[in-house]
Amino acid sequence: MFDTRFDKKKFQTEIQENLKNLFRKSVEDASSQELFQAVSFAVKEVIMDDWMKTKKTEKKEESKVVVYLSMEFLVGRALGNNLINMKNYKMVEEALDELGVDLNALEDEERDPALGNGGLGRLAACFLDSLATLGYPAYGCGIRYRYGMFRQKIEEGYQKEIPDDWLMNGYPFELRRPEYTQEVRFGGNIRVEHDEFNNAKFIQENYQSVNAVLYEIPIIGYNNHMVNSLCVWDAEPIVNFRLDSFDSGDYYKAVEQENVARNIVDVLYPNDNHYAGKELRLKQQYFFISASLQSALKALKERGYAVKEMDKKIIFQMNDTHPTVAVAELMRLLVDEEGLSWEEAWGITSKCCAYTNHTIMSEALEKWPIDLFSRLLPRIYQIIQEIDRRFVEQIHQRYPGNEEKVRRMSILCDGQVRMAHLAIAAAFSVNGVARLHTEILKHQELKDFYEMMPEKFNNKTNGVTQRRFLLHANPELSNWITDKLGTEDFATNLELLENLKPLADNDNALSEFMGIKRKNKERLAAYIKKHNNIEVDVDSIFDVQVKRLHEYKRQLLNILHVMYVYNQMKEHPEKSYYKRTYIFGAKASAGYTRAKEIIKLINSVAEVVNNDRSINGKLKVVFIEDYRVSNAEIIFAAADVSEQISTASKEASGTGNMKFMMNGAVTLGTMDGANVEIVEEVGRENAFIFGLSSEEVIHFEKNGGYNPWDIYNQDQDIRKVLDQLVDGTYGNGDKELYRNIYDSLLSPKDGSMADMYFILKDFASYRDAQEQVDAAYRDQKRWAKMALLNTASCGKFSSDRTIEEYVADIWHSKKIKVGEE
Ligand code: B1H
């Protein structure tokens, strides 16, 4: 069914007009990039009507709006996804076909807007898709980074970072909205003035300020004419050059302001799960928060509401602690600008703000040095002092004389501002992102807070949007499902996939299902051939680990196991091994040395293994360069095995695990994050679970670890693999290349815990699980059944379900219907 508003002829004419107006070209002489632009602008034109209608309806219905505050929105390419959600993909494909243009090729012309690192940013993008699809008015608020996540090149096995100039050709879907510009102030000092009633007024002086200029990106709901906005802020200098009338002093001041503004939004910090503590990062945080909150407050008033009604009309969801300065900024706006009393302002703030925690990794906790913080944000710091003073008073009241509690819980401590504590003190809701993660928060990491304020804590298990990760990423499978279910409704009701379960006993259906997987493997094999120049066998098991590179995610365990398998093949050529292709994709944060060493190791192993003819191509290792949303879509669809092997307790949820499952890959994983719930849905017999439990890990950690030498001494196969790290087998003879990795596993030079992530401790159990994978895959029918049941059981992991839970328990917002008019 095509959407009636899209007239094919009109659309074709529109494209031709756009080509003429933008590039003075016709379809025949336009480049693919130019065609992409022209088509995107034609699509945007259609979007505009719905966008206007949505805003109108939202106002008319007096909706409560969700404001999702996030430093990251990893939205990925827009063209294809927008067409899917507008239900016009096929029509546009046809229209372009008639013009002799291939839509797929045009889609490849779009640079991924990579305004995020990994799971946290991609989750924000999935949430926006679900909010629009479900009909909830919502705004994403973030930063329009000039350079997004760096592009990764692999040179001689090493990662190289290339700046991501994603705006190079312009971004056709965004809209510049200069009329919403907000001023944001940094630094200076605070002067206190008293009025005739002796009320204090706080005046910021000698500050530097910049303009925050709004760009809106449309977020299109699926088949419902709803268009929400992703609002991203650009920074511009306030002082404009007046060429006729500046003296040299003005000139330098102007240049200085220009510089203050320019670098704020220059680049996304490429750290996943790691706090860098850079002043510029704090500047970015306050910049987008102040702009977003000021404009939310203005919008509220423009709609005719009193400031005191704010909590009925707006909810701010803080995506981790990165936006938590919002708490203090809202207090500043309400007290200093709107003249509310502290108590009134606090009442509103604590009803408007909710906080999501995404990690328990201690190195990710944001703790700003007070001197830096108070210098950059003097008034905000004063407000935090007052919040802290009152919070500490509460702790004292509740736990009289317990100074240890106060030390553990206060916001300000040891010269630092602890952002998570600020978030928890202020927010009415604190949630984790998978059941296990929330339990760990309640009973370990945030135990004190949970004890004092249990009513704030709740779980919201993550989800992913099936529109992008099934409909767009895997059209073959989507069509098949539509055919089998006799409906496309799973696009908005993923639980319907459950009705595929009976097909697990239908031989025909199973072979069709695996036929689709094979086609998708061919598509990935072609991608690998093109980008890596490696031939991979589509009849081999595609065993995939794609995610950010982090020690806790244990790509190292995977590659050590590959080294082990390779040794086995060489030592026991008589044994049979099912052909395997180990596929990796991962970016390492630019300053994360160990992560980069692991990338180099993976590539070194690939080099040796892929070129060893004696193993007859039974084993291939592929490192896919520049893992990002667009190639992820190809990868998930083609995977047989989904590696989710983090050290138990460390991965808050994971969302890649859900994308794999949706596409019929079988999880090989630890009982960590959302894996626990995945296994619960699909059944333990349809996954391969191994390794220490989170309790065991936490227990070992509390007792200073374990002794990895015992394993080294007892297991000769592991010993051999470890020795190969330092005997030149994989370093082109360089024995020192992987010495640090070796040491970290056995005896770290910095005195930290040996094998902190329990790689050797879990090795044997991982090896067993991998042997089970091998055995299971040999029985093609059994495998097909497992794979199909994974797709059939993924219903819970739609971000639609997650969003409905946020609405029911935290946001309490109402759906709207965008009318036809
Ligand atoms: C997640 C982050 C993160 N948790 C700091 N924390 C960052 C922390 O730039 N920084 O400073 C950036 C990112 N990212 C991920 O969130 C978790 O590791 C995943 O397990 C989870 O699925 C995802 C979404 O909830």
Side-chain angles (χ1 to χ4, degrees):
M1 271 248 292
F2 296 148
D3 195 305
T4 44
R5 291 162 315 153
F6 240 97
D7 178 298
K8 194 158 70 177
K9 274 267 139 339
K10 219 178 112 199
F11 186 69
Q12 288 169 331
T13 317
E14 188 72 36
I15 292 170
Q16 285 154 340
E17 284 293 304
N18 287 349
L19 280 175
K20 188 178 79 186
N21 294 331
L22 290 166
F23 308 111
R24 208 220 297 145
K25 286 198 178 162
S26 59
V27 175
E28 293 70 42
D29 47 24
S31 69
S32 298
Q33 175 60 219
E34 287 160 348
L35 276 161
F36 160 71
Q37 297 276 344
V39 170
S40 297
F41 278 108
V43 173
K44 188 180 179 188
E45 176 143 353
V46 183
I47 294 172
M48 285 297 187
D49 291 321
D50 282 347
W51 211 353
M52 280 158 58
K53 280 188 209 157
T54 303
K55 299 290 149 179
K56 237 166 122 180
T57 314
E58 180 188 313
K59 274 188 197 137
K60 198 177 86 210
E61 304 275 314
E62 314 204 339
S63 306
K64 177 173 186 179
V65 299
V66 176
V67 177
Y68 199 80
L69 300 172
S70 178
M71 288 289 276
E72 308 188 13
F73 290 92
L74 191 42
V75 289
R77 288 177 180 165
L79 178 59
N81 200 251
N82 287 348
L83 291 175
I84 293 267
N85 282 11
M86 295 160 80
K87 298 217 57 172
N88 269 308
Y89 193 90
K90 287 197 178 118
M91 197 285 281
V92 168
E93 205 171 25
E94 262 178 43
L96 289 174
D97 204 44
E98 287 171 17
L99 297 175
V101 177
D102 176 25
L103 173 56
N104 254 309
L106 287 201
E107 285 188 57
D108 280 337
E109 284 296 317
E110 180 175 354
R111 290 287 291 270
D112 285 43
L115 309 184
N117 272 288
L120 172 139
R122 182 54 231 176
L123 184 76
C126 284
F127 280 5
L128 293 185
D129 180 272
S130 285
L131 279 158
T133 295
L134 294 167
Y136 294 109
Y139 293 79
C141 289
I143 295 174
R144 184 176 178 270
Y145 298 105
R146 180 73 182 68
Y147 296 92
M149 186 63 205
F150 65 76
R151 288 198 298 162
Q152 179 192 53
K153 279 245 172 304
I154 300 296
E155 281 178 11
E156 315 256 308
Y158 290 100
Q159 167 177 299
K160 237 189 108 182
E161 301 92 21
I162 316 277
D164 166 47
D165 192 1
W166 71 289
L167 291 164
M168 189 170 59
N169 301 311
Y171 182 60
F173 290 99
E174 70 181 2
L175 262 193
R176 186 180 153 92
R177 310 303 303 274
E179 67 274 31
Y180 292 102
T181 298
Q182 310 290 339
E183 186 189 334
V184 179
R185 298 174 174 181
F186 296 100
N189 54 283
I190 306 299
R191 184 165 54 83
V192 189
E193 252 179 25
H194 292 271
D195 65 12
E196 66 260 50
F197 310 107
N198 206 30
N199 292 324
K201 261 185 95 63
F202 298 87
I203 297 153
Q204 192 170 357
E205 295 178 328
N206 304 317
Y207 53 84
Q208 288 185 309
S209 57
V210 300
N211 273 337
V213 180
L214 177 63
Y215 286 74
E216 275 188 273
I217 297 172
I219 304 292
I220 290 139
Y222 181 82
N223 196 25
N224 65 354
H225 301 275
M226 179 108 173
V227 182
N228 279 332
S229 301
L230 168 55
C231 297
V232 287
W233 298 95
D234 187 20
E236 288 184 7
I238 286 181
V239 182
N240 283 321
F241 288 95
R242 294 243 342 255
L243 286 174
D244 52 339
S245 73
F246 64 78
D247 63 29
S248 60
D250 283 345
Y251 180 80
Y252 287 110
K253 204 164 149 217
V255 171
E256 195 184 64
Q257 292 282 30
E258 171 102 11
N259 290 337
V260 175
R262 285 284 169 241
N263 68 26
I264 291 184
V265 298
D266 267 356
V267 63
L268 164 78
Y269 279 90
N271 305 319
D272 194 78
N273 264 292
H274 187 85
Y275 160 72
K278 292 280 185 289
E279 174 166 354
L280 183 57
R281 167 84 171 182
L282 182 59
K283 245 186 183 167
Q284 291 183 336
Q285 296 183 348
Y286 183 68
F287 168 75
F288 95 98
I289 287 301
S290 179
S292 303
L293 264 50
Q294 288 184 60
S295 84
L297 202 60
K298 259 188 206 148
L300 181 79
K301 292 200 258 179
E302 268 167 27
R303 289 182 187 196
Y305 301 109
V307 173
K308 289 179 189 171
E309 296 174 285
M310 191 165 187
D311 61 291
K312 310 276 185 306
K313 295 296 161 196
I314 306 182
I315 168 92
F316 296 109
Q317 186 69 40
M318 302 185 288
N319 201 20
D320 216 280
T321 54
H322 324 143
T324 33
V325 67
V327 167
E329 174 67 359
L330 188 53
M331 287 300 288
R332 183 187 73 80
L333 291 170
L334 295 176
V335 174
D336 293 2
E337 311 275 327
E338 301 295 328
L340 268 56
S341 72
W342 182 275
E343 287 73 19
E344 283 172 321
W346 186 252
I348 294 168
T349 301
S350 58
K351 276 187 231 144
C352 284
C353 296
Y355 157 62
T356 305
N357 175 290
H358 291 268
T359 183
I360 61 160
M361 300 296 293
S362 57
E363 64 262 39
L365 286 184
E366 290 190 296
K367 294 180 223 161
W368 293 104
I370 284 178
D371 55 346
L372 184 162
F373 196 101
S374 58
R375 201 170 4 92
L376 188 67
L377 307 172
R379 179 61 186 143
I380 294 300
Y381 179 64
Q382 288 181 340
I383 289 170
I384 290 175
Q385 281 182 309
E386 181 60 14
I387 295 175
D388 184 52
R389 190 187 66 75
R390 289 171 185 244
F391 184 53
V392 166
E393 210 170 83
Q394 272 185 330
I395 304 170
H396 273 139
Q397 259 168 30
R398 177 71 194 269
Y399 305 100
N402 194 340
E403 291 311 315
E404 193 35 43
K405 271 264 185 218
V406 172
R407 253 194 69 78
R408 290 206 303 265
M409 295 178 75
S410 64
I411 298 165
L412 301 174
C413 183
D414 290 340
Q416 293 175 320
V417 188
R418 300 191 281 202
M419 299 308 272
H421 297 201
L422 174 64
I424 300 166
F428 69 91
S429 165
V430 176
N431 76 281
V433 290
R435 194 203 303 139
L436 174 66
H437 169 60
T438 303
E439 289 306 307
I440 293 174
L441 289 179
K442 292 195 312 200
H443 303 296
Q444 309 278 340
E445 304 302 308
L446 303 177
K447 190 163 172 275
D448 292 313
F449 295 92
Y450 177 62
E451 244 177 58
M452 184 168 150
M453 308 169 280
E455 69 289 349
K456 291 190 180 186
F457 286 75
N458 63 93
N459 174 245
K460 296 287 166 280
T461 297
N462 283 166
V464 302
T465 171
Q466 66 266 36
R467 269 82 59 189
R468 182 177 290 270
F469 293 105
L470 186 53
L471 274 64
H472 188 254
N474 199 342
E476 297 271 347
L477 184 57
S478 302
N479 291 337
W480 182 82
I481 295 171
T482 306
D483 193 45
K484 295 294 162 198
L485 298 182
T487 170
E488 295 183 344
D489 288 356
F490 63 96
T492 49
N493 181 2
L494 199 62
E495 298 278 359
L496 288 177
L497 295 192
E498 178 169 75
N499 296 326
L500 296 172
K501 283 184 186 166
L503 298 180
D505 297 314
N506 176 330
D507 287 359
N508 246 337
L510 290 177
S511 74
E512 285 166 11
F513 190 86
M514 291 316 283
I516 291 167
K517 180 60 79 184
R518 198 167 196 285
K519 277 197 177 171
N520 287 320
K521 286 166 83 170
E522 280 163 3
R523 182 171 66 158
L524 179 58
Y527 182 95
I528 290 171
K529 175 72 190 152
K530 180 170 168 198
H531 291 86
N532 297 62
N533 198 23
I534 299 175
E535 305 266 0
V536 299
D537 183 350
V538 290
D539 288 321
S540 65
I541 303 174
F542 277 22
D543 181 319
V544 187
Q545 186 172 21
V546 286
K547 48 181 82 249
R548 285 300 292 265
L549 211 139
H550 206 296
E551 286 165 279
Y552 84 78
K553 294 178 189 282
R554 300 201 293 191
Q555 283 92 351
L556 182 56
L557 172 58
N558 189 344
I559 198 66
L560 292 177
H561 176 260
V562 173
M563 289 161 63
Y564 156 79
V565 172
Y566 177 58
N567 290 341
Q568 291 296 304
M569 285 180 175
K570 306 277 286 181
E571 285 166 27
H572 306 283
E574 74 288 356
K575 274 205 210 156
S576 113
Y577 298 91
Y578 206 98
K579 222 176 192 183
R580 238 210 264 162
T581 305
Y582 290 91
I583 297 168
F584 293 83
K587 289 182 187 175
S589 180
Y592 191 173
T593 312
R594 177 63 42 75
K596 289 181 149 179
E597 288 167 359
I598 294 169
I599 290 180
K600 172 66 178 163
L601 175 61
I602 294 169
N603 285 308
S604 298
V605 173
E607 178 82 22
V608 170
V609 167
N610 296 345
N611 295 309
D612 183 341
R613 291 174 175 231
S614 77
I615 56 166
N616 293 321
K618 285 240 165 228
L619 182 57
K620 288 267 165 89
V621 178
V622 177
F623 189 94
I624 293 181
E625 214 174 52
D626 202 31
Y627 174 60
R628 62 190 184 282
V629 178
S630 56
N631 59 17
E633 293 181 30
I634 300 170
I635 296 167
F636 292 127
D640 292 309
V641 177
S642 157
E643 298 257 4
Q644 307 300 335
I645 59 177
S646 54
T647 310
S649 80
K650 303 292 178 205
E651 190 71 274
S653 162
T655 44
N657 46 5
M658 302 167 185
K659 297 162 196 167
F660 278 109
M661 180 194 200
M662 198 176 270
N663 285 282
V666 182
T667 304
L668 164 56
T670 48
M671 277 301 211
D672 198 17
N675 296 353
V676 176
E677 291 161 77
I678 286 178
V679 171
E680 190 172 284
E681 294 297 305
V682 75
R684 212 179 162 112
E685 69 285 6
N686 296 310
F688 301 93
I689 298 302
F690 73 96
L692 296 175
S693 67
S694 58
E695 285 98 346
E696 288 167 324
V697 168
I698 291 167
H699 175 80
F700 277 120
E701 285 176 341
K702 284 189 173 151
N703 292 288
Y706 79 104
N707 186 1
W709 285 105
D710 292 343
I711 295 175
Y712 181 91
N713 291 324
Q714 279 157 25
D715 188 321
Q716 56 171 11
D717 294 329
I718 296 182
R719 181 163 66 241
K720 176 159 179 182
V721 167
L722 289 169
D723 289 345
Q724 286 171 333
L725 288 173
V726 289
D727 70 4
T729 306
Y730 294 104
N732 267 335
D734 181 347
K735 297 183 178 170
E736 296 311 307
L737 211 47
Y738 302 114
R739 175 78 60 187
N740 288 334
I741 294 179
Y742 176 89
D743 285 343
S744 78
L745 292 169
L746 290 166
S747 33
K749 293 285 171 279
D750 61 3
S752 61
M753 203 167 99
D755 191 14
M756 273 184 76
Y757 296 101
F758 303 93
I759 288 172
L760 304 183
K761 190 90 187 148
D762 272 347
F763 191 93
S765 142
Y766 181 60
R767 177 172 56 196
D768 288 349
Q770 282 285 22
E771 274 165 20
Q772 289 167 33
V773 169
D774 183 291
Y777 202 87
R778 282 162 196 270
D779 182 346
Q780 284 284 302
K781 198 166 143 189
R782 174 171 161 215
W783 188 273
K785 218 168 161 158
M786 288 176 88
L788 187 146
L789 285 173
N790 269 276
T791 298
S793 309
C794 76
K796 174 176 175 184
F797 303 106
S798 168
S799 43
D800 298 343
R801 187 267 314 147
T802 314
I803 288 299
E804 291 291 20
E805 290 180 8
Y806 274 92
V807 169
D809 302 341
I810 307 174
W811 301 339
H812 309 295
S813 51
K814 298 256 177 321
K815 294 186 185 195
I816 61 172
K817 252 195 147 58
V818 179
E820 284 292 327
E821 283 187 276

